Amino acid sequence: MKIFLFSYTILVSYLYIPAVSGYLNLYLSLPEVQRLLGLHAELFYIRKGVINNYALNFVVPIPSNIDSLCFTWESLTPGQPVHYSIQVDSSNLAALPTPKLNISDAGVISNTVQTFQISLPCTGLVEAEVDIKIKMNIMLTPENVTTLTFRRKKICLELEKSTAYVSVDSLPPYSNSVNILYIAICCAILFIFILVIVVTLYHVKGNKTRRSTENGSGPTTTTTTFLAALPRNSVNVSSYGSLKRMPSYSLIEERSKDLQDKITELSIQRCRVRLSSIIMEGTFGKIYQGSYTTEEGTEETTIVKTVMDHASDVQISLLLKEGMSLYALNHKNILSISRVSVEEHMAPFLLYPYKNYTNLKLFLQKCKVSSEGVHHTLTTQELVDMALQIIQAMQYLHKKHLLHKDLATRNCVIDDKLNILVADNALSRDLFPSDYHCLGDNENRPVKWLAIESLLHKSFSPSSDVWSFGVLLWELTTLAQQPYIEIDPFEMAAYLKDGYRLAQPINCPDELFAVMAYCWAMSAEERPTFTQLNVCLQEFYAQLTRYV
C-alpha cells in the first residue's frame, strides 16, 4: 500500500471570530510544535480572537510514531464564560478507533492556560491513511458560535510489518548464548579492522597535504550553494562569501553557482539597512519598509523581504532562490531585486526599490464596496491599461528566455498612479497561503492559476504563463476574488480536462472575457502569445478611449 506521509489539509468552515476584547487564544505550544515540526516556536490558530488563516492551512504530517495531538487554549474574558464542544471522528475505525479526549466533549474554556490531548492510537491490524476530523464549536453567546473544522491524516501501520520479532522461548538457551558470544567477537574484530583502515587513510591524506603545501599549492576551495540541509546555528560565517568554503548541502539544485555569484554581486553590509515599519507579515516571513544608506552617504527607501528566526533552512533557501529569479532585469514594469544581505546567524535581507508600492491583490480588494467605503473605483479603461502593463513586462521576460511560473495579482505591485510592476514570488506562499495547495507531493503550488500541463506534468512554457495571465485578468475584473473557489484543489485537473473554466464576471465586457477564454485553451499551441494579447488589448483600449 502506498502511503503519503506529508499530506493533510486543515479546512475552516467559518473564518471569523468577532473581537470581544480578544476573548480566546488557541495554539500549539512550543513543545508540541517541536514534536510535530521540529521548530522552536509556537503556532497560533487564534490569537486574542483573531484567526491566523495561514496556521489553519499549514501542512503538518502525523506519522505513525505519534499517537496524540495536543492543543493549548485559554479564555481571555474572566467575567463571561466561553463555552465549547468538540467532536473527533475517524474515517477508518479498523485502523484507528474513535479518538478520545482527555477533557469533556463540552464545557467552559478555562481562564488559565490549559492543554488538552486527543489520543490517536492505531490498532496495528490495518495499514491505512486515516482521515481525522476535529470539529470545535466555540460559543460566547448562543447567537455567537464559531466552528473550526480540522482535517488531518494519520498514518497507521500493521504491527506485523512494522515490528519483526522472534520469541525467545522458541530458542534453545544454550545455542542462543553461544550465538550472542560469536556475534560479539565478530563485531569487535570488525570494529578493530575499520579503525585500522580509518587511521591509515588519515595518515596517507596528511602526507599528501604536507607534500602539496611544500610544493606551494594550498587546498582547493569548494564552491557551494546556500546551506539548506544544515541547522542555521551550525553555519559559522560572517558574510555570504564565506559559504563558498563549506561542503555542499543544498536544496537549490540548478544553476547553484550562478545563484551564488549573483548574491555575491549584490551583497551588502547589514549595518547599512534600517527597518522602519512592517508592510506585510505571515507565519514565517515579513516584508518591511526600510532604508539603505549607500557608500556615498545617501539614503534610499527600500522594501525588505526576510524570514523570522524560527523559519526553516528550506524556507530560507526558497526565499533566496525565488527572490533572485528576476535579478538584473531592467524594465519599467518589473520589480527586480537590488541588494542582498546574508550574515552570520541572521535571516537574509532581500532589498527592492520602493516608490509607495502596494500589493496589487490587496489594492484590488480595497476597491470593493465595504463599511469603510471604496478605496478607489476602477474603470474598465484603467483595468485594461493595468493588463497591458503586465503584458509588456511578460513580453520582456520571455524575450530574455525567462518564465515567471507564478503570475498572479499577489505577485504584482501598484503605485498611486496605477503603474504596475511584476515581482517575484518570494514569500508568497507564506503571505497568501489560501492561494497555494499541496496535492500530496509535499509541494505548495498555485494550483488554481496553473495551466493544465503544469498541473499534471509540472511542465512550464511561455504558454503556461499566458494561462496564468488569463486568471490574473479574471482577478482584475473581479477585484481579486478567489478563482474556482467552489472547486476542491484535488479535483482541479479533472475539472479542467472536462472543459470547465471560470465564469464571465459581472460587468466584464464580452471582449475582455473572450481574451481570458483564449488564454485557457486546452492545447498550449492554441493559446495566444503575449505579443498577440498586446495587439488585441491595445485595440480594445483604443475603442474604450473613443467613448470617454
Side-chain angles (χ1 to χ4, degrees), residues 222-406:
T222 303
T223 302
T224 68
T225 58
F226 187 81
L227 301 188
L230 293 179
R232 190 183 312 149
N233 292 338
S234 69
V235 181
N236 186 18
V237 294
S238 58
S239 66
Y240 183 80
S242 303
L243 291 174
K244 294 186 175 182
R245 295 190 292 275
M246 299 206 170
S248 178
Y249 297 94
S250 177
L251 295 182
I252 305 174
E253 297 175 354
E254 54 185 23
R255 296 184 299 174
S256 58
K257 185 178 185 301
D258 184 41
L259 177 61
Q260 281 185 31
D261 293 339
K262 291 175 180 177
I263 294 178
T264 304
E265 288 175 17
L266 297 179
S267 185
I268 60 168
Q269 295 175 316
R270 180 65 56 91
C271 61
R272 294 183 177 274
V273 182
R274 182 171 59 85
L275 303 179
S276 301
S277 58
I278 296 176
I279 299 176
M280 295 183 69
E281 180 177 6
T283 300
F284 297 104
K286 288 184 180 181
I287 299 181
Y288 289 90
Q289 179 182 337
S291 61
Y292 168 72
T293 304
T294 65
E295 294 180 357
E296 293 76 22
T298 59
E299 197 171 82
E300 300 176 359
T301 306
T302 184
I303 296 173
V304 181
K305 289 186 179 182
T306 187
V307 292
M308 300 183 193
D309 292 337
H310 61 267
S312 70
D313 293 308
V314 174
Q315 290 159 333
I316 295 175
S317 290
L318 280 175
L319 173 69
L320 289 170
K321 180 181 178 182
E322 294 171 347
M324 298 300 296
S325 61
L326 302 183
Y327 166 77
L329 297 181
N330 185 18
H331 190 275
K332 65 177 182 176
N333 296 117
I334 291 180
L335 183 64
S336 180
I337 189 169
S338 58
R339 296 175 180 88
V340 177
S341 173
V342 181
E343 295 191 358
E344 179 183 6
H345 302 307
M346 289 184 171
F349 279 5
L350 274 58
L351 276 64
Y352 301 79
Y354 179 72
K355 295 180 181 178
N356 203 24
Y357 296 133
T358 303
N359 181 273
L360 179 57
K361 181 164 186 166
L362 301 182
F363 169 82
L364 291 171
Q365 290 172 344
K366 287 182 180 179
C367 292
K368 298 176 182 177
V369 178
S370 66
S371 58
E372 300 176 358
V374 180
H375 178 71
H376 181 94
T377 303
L378 289 172
T379 65
T380 303
Q381 185 177 344
E382 288 173 330
L383 289 175
V384 174
D385 181 62
M386 292 159 66
L388 284 169
Q389 294 181 61
I390 295 170
I391 287 175
Q392 289 160 15
M394 295 306 298
Q395 281 182 290
Y396 176 82
L397 270 183
H398 289 177
K399 192 178 295 183
K400 295 287 184 179
H401 305 289
L402 295 173
L403 301 176
H404 194 285
K405 299 183 182 180
D406 194 2

Side-chain angles (χ1 to χ4, degrees), residues 26-46:
L26 173 61
Y27 60 98
L28 301 185
S29 65
L30 191 148
E32 180 70 0
V33 175
Q34 184 74 36
R35 185 171 71 114
L36 293 175
L37 302 174
L39 298 175
H40 191 76
E42 293 179 332
L43 183 59
F44 273 82
Y45 293 113
I46 305 171

Side-chain angles (χ1 to χ4, degrees), residues 184-196:
I185 293 173
C186 291
C187 289
I189 293 173
L190 181 61
F191 176 76
I192 294 171
F193 178 70
I194 293 173
L195 185 62
V196 170

